[in-house]
Amino acid sequence: MLSLSGLRKRFGATVALDGVDVEFAPGEVHALIGENGAGKSTLLNVIAGALAPDAGTMRVNGEPYAPASPLAARHAGVALIHQELSLCAHLTVAENVLMGLEPARPAWGRFWLDRKAMQREAARLLESFSHPDLAPDRVVGTLPIAARQVVEILRAVAARASIVLMDEPTSSLPREDVTRLFALIRRLKASGVTVVYISHFLEEVREIADRYTVLRDGRSVATGELTGVTNEVLIAHMVGRPVDALFPDRAPAPAEDVLVEVTDLVAPPAVRKASIQLRRGEILGVAGLVGSGRTETVRAIMGLDPAESGEVRVHGKRLGKSSPPRARLAAGVGYLSEDRKGEGLALGLSLADNITCTRYESVSTHGWLRRRAQRDQTRVWLDALAIKARSPWQPARTLSGGNQQKVALARLLHQKADVLLLDEPTKGIDIGSKVEIYRAIVDCAARGAGVVMVSSYLPELFGVCHSLAVMCRGRLTPARPIGEWTPETVMEAAIGQ
């Protein structure tokens, strides 16, 4: 269906693709895996016509293929589901899903948009997901991130493409929507559609894909049937070395003194009641379904969302309900948002400014920035978290999604926060980078920081945390030692059984 030979692409001094050779068969799901910055997203953008390759050839059904634009690629039957959502927030679900495919009807010698037909077609496509937040006339800007991801997926499906490129389509989806997506992918596969699928979750890849290709440093280094290869071999291909253990040794048992005490926090409409005691050196995991109120809880603790009632104490000092986030920063609290693009980073600013912005006093004298100190301290964190970057001064938007996530975490580490509120800290992170992130979190706890870690990925909660609480319909269960939980009991608590 699609063959690539010798594809190369450079961005200045950065080599994104350095000779990619791969073939995708009709009616197969082909997993494209590799570390952040390996070239996966760049490759999909080349196939989808968003970028022109510097060298190499592409063929679709044996015919030369060189799209001049994404529209030309769509006309050739190629559709891309972006990792970073590319939706028009001011338009409705129907208008986004059918953009460029709008039904029209003739009248008075002209063609007019047929809104009723658009509503019907969008409703038909939405039936495959049955998402509670989705309706054809709903404005996309009012939707939660998980629902927006579904809109992005359905836009590709509406194009009736023969080749569908999926760049981490499940990164913001709850499990029930992942199940619906996989059912949809299987229907596409049965109809002869080729699906190229990027994911950092190997268990997810094994569930849905037939074959794999590993990219490393812009090159295709391994390909084959998934049934004939172990995860250890895949990881070794991805990172260029064996990864002995995904999770580091757990941090020492936490101390008895309480760093943070949250009592009966209420922040309507998502948070109905949440209480937390976080001890020095403790990593407290927060599980729960997407939309249960996990994110809203940590945002309310940080002062980003208003609290109606309840009390937050840090180091025994009460923080008022209306005190701004800067008061939390001053108290030693750091926050990592799940939405790195929307609010986690200042994408137009340099890596140095993003990493040092919450502790500028470390790189300034009498109010003046010392650029050399800022550069040197930034390089420390670029090396510590293996962030792939050309320079401390390049804009954050030029990095891959996973490297951007590591920059956001580097800011908290540079801040030297006593309390870390981490919302999906490994979202969009490759396996090799996850190891580095987990080690950084465990090291912070070992040095006496307290960590609240919200995650939808149960293995990392069980692998890293000392204790766990579960959010269900806005209510947080009491925290219990991690050894008292199983994946089954977590899910029972999450659905309220």
Side-chain angles (χ1 to χ4, degrees), residues 330-347:
V333 182
Y335 170 70
L336 180 72
S337 171
E338 68 166 345
D339 183 7
R340 61 173 173 262
K341 184 177 180 182
E343 62 181 27
L345 293 170
L347 294 175

Side-chain angles (χ1 to χ4, degrees), residues 32 56 80 116 124 181 195 264 271 347 356 371 394 414 435 449 471:
L32 201 60
L80 171 61
K116 289 185 178 179
R124 184 187 69 80
L181 173 62
V195 177
D264 296 336
V271 184
L347 294 175
T356 61
R371 304 295 273 179
Q394 73 182 93
H414 179 265
V435 173
M471 202 85 187

Side-chain angles (χ1 to χ4, degrees), residues 1-2 23-30 77 79 161-166 188-189 191-197:
M1 180 69 83
L2 172 66
E23 293 184 345
F24 305 99
E28 79 162 349
V29 180
H30 195 118
S162 56
I163 300 170
V164 177
L165 314 173
M166 297 187 172
L188 293 174
K189 174 182 172 181
S191 64
V193 173
T194 297
V195 177
V196 182
Y197 189 92

Side-chain angles (χ1 to χ4, degrees), residues 57-77:
T57 59
M58 297 185 286
R59 291 181 174 272
V60 172
N61 287 321
E63 298 296 323
Y65 170 69
S69 67
L71 183 60
R74 177 177 280 204
H75 288 161

Side-chain angles (χ1 to χ4, degrees), residues 352-353 356 360 363 370-378 393:
D353 282 329
T356 61
Y360 268 143
V363 292
R370 293 181 288 118
R371 304 295 273 179
R372 182 177 296 178
Q374 192 180 22
R375 177 200 64 194
D376 293 344
Q377 292 188 27
T378 298
W393 307 118

Side-chain angles (χ1 to χ4, degrees), residues 183-266:
L184 177 60
I185 290 174
R186 292 185 182 104
R187 290 201 298 272
L188 293 174
K189 174 182 172 181
S191 64
V193 173
T194 297
V195 177
V196 182
Y197 189 92
I198 291 179
S199 176
H200 291 306
F201 297 105
L202 291 184
E203 64 270 27
E204 185 177 284
V205 165
R206 289 192 179 279
E207 184 177 351
I208 196 61
D210 306 299
R211 294 198 302 141
Y212 73 92
T213 293
V214 177
L215 292 189
R216 187 175 73 239
D217 298 328
R219 299 184 182 94
S220 45
V221 296
T223 190
E225 301 284 337
L226 273 165
T227 53
V229 64
T230 64
N231 285 353
E232 289 73 20
V233 170
L234 289 176
I235 293 170
H237 282 311
M238 290 164 62
V239 302
R241 65 188 189 282
V243 175
D244 299 327
L246 181 57
F247 301 109
D249 293 336
R250 205 180 305 274
E256 290 302 317
D257 55 320
V258 175
L259 276 179
V260 178
E261 190 166 14
V262 179
T263 307
D264 296 336
L265 183 68
V266 178

Side-chain angles (χ1 to χ4, degrees), residues 292-464:
S292 62
R294 303 171 308 169
T295 292
E296 291 81 0
T297 297
V298 291
R299 286 178 63 86
I301 294 172
M302 190 63 195
L304 292 164
D305 288 346
E308 182 180 273
S309 62
E311 188 175 84
V312 177
R313 289 182 176 272
V314 179
H315 296 295
K317 181 181 177 181
R318 184 176 182 274
L319 298 175
K321 291 184 294 183
S322 59
S323 60
R326 65 174 176 269
R328 269 70 169 175
L329 287 174
V333 182
Y335 170 70
L336 180 72
S337 171
E338 68 166 345
D339 183 7
R340 61 173 173 262
K341 184 177 180 182
E343 62 181 27
L345 293 170
L347 294 175
L349 296 184
S350 69
L351 305 182
D353 282 329
N354 272 281
I355 289 173
T356 61
C357 65
T358 50
R359 198 164 68 92
Y360 268 143
E361 63 271 19
S362 69
V363 292
S364 64
T365 302
H366 304 304
W368 293 88
L369 280 175
R370 293 181 288 118
R371 304 295 273 179
R372 182 177 296 178
Q374 192 180 22
R375 177 200 64 194
D376 293 344
Q377 292 188 27
T378 298
R379 282 179 172 162
V380 168
W381 296 115
L382 295 182
D383 293 340
L385 294 178
I387 299 170
K388 294 183 178 179
R390 299 188 306 274
S391 160
W393 307 118
Q394 73 182 93
R397 66 169 175 266
T398 62
L399 299 189
S400 66
N403 281 298
Q404 288 179 0
Q405 184 78 349
K406 289 195 280 186
V407 169
L409 180 62
R411 183 180 67 245
L412 267 67
L413 299 179
H414 179 265
Q415 181 187 331
K416 294 185 176 178
D418 291 327
V419 179
L420 278 66
L421 307 176
L422 309 180
D423 194 0
E424 302 285 5
T426 63
K427 180 179 177 181
I429 294 288
D430 60 76
I431 290 174
S433 298
K434 281 183 179 180
V435 173
E436 294 152 3
I437 296 291
Y438 296 146
R439 284 175 181 159
I441 293 171
V442 168
D443 286 347
C444 284
R447 291 196 298 268
V451 181
V452 176
M453 181 173 169
V454 174
S455 178
S456 301
Y457 187 47
L458 285 182
E460 72 183 7
L461 293 177
F462 279 95
V464 173

